[in-house]
Amino acid sequence: MKNPKVLIVIVNYNSTEDLLQLISSIGNSSYKTYDIVVIDNNSSEYIEKLRNLKLKLIENKENIGFTKAINHALKNFKYEYYWLLNPDTIVNKNTLTELISTAEKYNAGFVGSAIYDYNTNKIYAMAGKRNFFTGLAFTIKDINEIRELNGKTEYADACSLLISRKVIEQVGYFDENYFMYLETEDFMLRAKKQGFKIYVNPKAIVYHKMYGSSKGKKSKRTVYLLNKNRIYFMRKFSPKTRFYVFLVINFLVIFPFQILVYLIKGRFSLIPALIRGNFSL
């Protein structure tokens, strides 16, 4: 298909200044067949600036989370492709062109980007890989050409991800039990089981301001959700025996180690969120 139409989907929560920079970078894109929808989750800052832009703006009266916001866009706007972008990112001129060409050439359900740290200009991740014994995820940086992400453990980074409409029609929507974090990995894993392919293109470059809405640091909410969702994800996708092994490893090794790290770093305020996250299910 020549120049399929893309909906760029951005969920915003108190990242409006970053979002305005992102929209400006999108405007320089070499790929022109797109629309932008911003779903704002009741931001308190600068929201009036968004009302003056030429984009679709959905203003929620409360923070409904990333997953419900994305599902709203997927259910209400029909496009050939959806490009999910974090509001605290900047995109290169040819990023969307690279994503679309990869999707069309390889009949991909998903195409991920090369994620660079905005502040250091160094590669942060090409993809991710999750260990199904510990439940922990690690970044993959050594991808130098377009390639398919193989097996159950590899996934594309969610801060810039192209999704084909075919995936939505066959697999459905994001699991709303995730407020945010791990929801896209869950979605990709379900799609893989139905035969969809996931690719990453290192030329589709995005610069990410890490944890932009929390000013560069993990917030209490982030710590809580990362741990809560990790356990939910492992329970959902692990065989029963492996899940029990994971629980033993988590509560005897990983959880105490996390507590120790926060104590050493003096981040005492994050410990209650860590405890709630690990014992919430």
Side-chain angles (χ1 to χ4, degrees), residues 169 184 205 244 249 262-263:
E169 292 173 345
T184 313
I205 296 173
Y244 290 148
I249 294 172
Y262 287 145
L263 289 172

Side-chain angles (χ1 to χ4, degrees), residues 119-256:
N119 296 308
T120 65
N121 206 31
K122 294 180 179 179
I123 185 68
Y124 172 74
M126 291 288 180
K129 187 172 184 177
R130 187 165 299 276
N131 183 303
F132 271 76
F133 284 99
T134 66
L136 298 176
F138 305 90
T139 58
I140 301 173
K141 298 182 180 181
D142 58 343
I143 298 176
N144 299 313
E145 58 185 18
I146 297 172
R147 83 160 173 87
E148 183 181 356
L149 299 180
N150 297 311
K152 180 179 179 180
T153 60
E154 293 184 340
Y155 58 91
D157 197 299
C159 83
S160 169
L161 184 68
L162 189 76
I163 305 176
S164 169
R165 178 72 195 176
K166 296 175 183 177
V167 177
I168 311 302
E169 292 173 345
Q170 186 169 324
V171 179
Y173 301 97
F174 287 90
D175 182 345
E176 294 184 1
N177 286 305
Y178 302 95
F179 187 84
M180 61 179 179
Y181 302 125
L182 276 82
E183 73 293 314
T184 313
E185 189 178 339
D186 175 302
F187 191 51
M188 283 187 280
L189 190 52
R190 287 187 282 130
K192 277 185 179 181
K193 290 181 177 179
Q194 297 196 38
F196 287 100
K197 298 177 180 180
I198 304 168
Y199 280 80
V200 63
N201 183 342
K203 292 183 179 180
I205 296 173
V206 170
Y207 298 92
H208 189 200
K209 306 169 187 177
M210 305 299 172
Y211 303 107
S213 63
S214 57
K215 312 308 177 188
K217 293 184 178 181
K218 284 186 178 180
S219 65
K220 294 176 184 178
R221 172 178 278 178
T222 296
V223 171
Y224 166 70
L225 289 173
L226 282 173
N227 285 277
K228 172 181 177 290
N229 291 352
R230 180 169 58 91
I231 295 173
Y232 174 73
F233 178 89
M234 291 295 291
R235 184 174 68 181
K236 184 174 179 179
F237 291 106
S238 298
K240 186 175 292 187
T241 301
R242 182 176 290 183
F243 179 65
Y244 290 148
V245 172
F246 156 73
L247 289 178
V248 171
I249 294 172
N250 184 65
F251 288 108
L252 293 185
V253 180
I254 297 172
F255 176 63

Side-chain angles (χ1 to χ4, degrees), residues 83-98:
W83 186 16
L84 311 189
L85 276 173
N86 277 23
D88 55 347
T89 56
I90 299 292
V91 303
N92 270 8
K93 178 180 179 179
N94 294 321
T95 300
L96 184 51
T97 300
E98 290 286 345

Side-chain angles (χ1 to χ4, degrees), residues 13 55 64 85 101 124 213:
Y13 178 69
L55 49 76
I64 63 172
L85 276 173
S101 65
Y124 172 74
S213 63

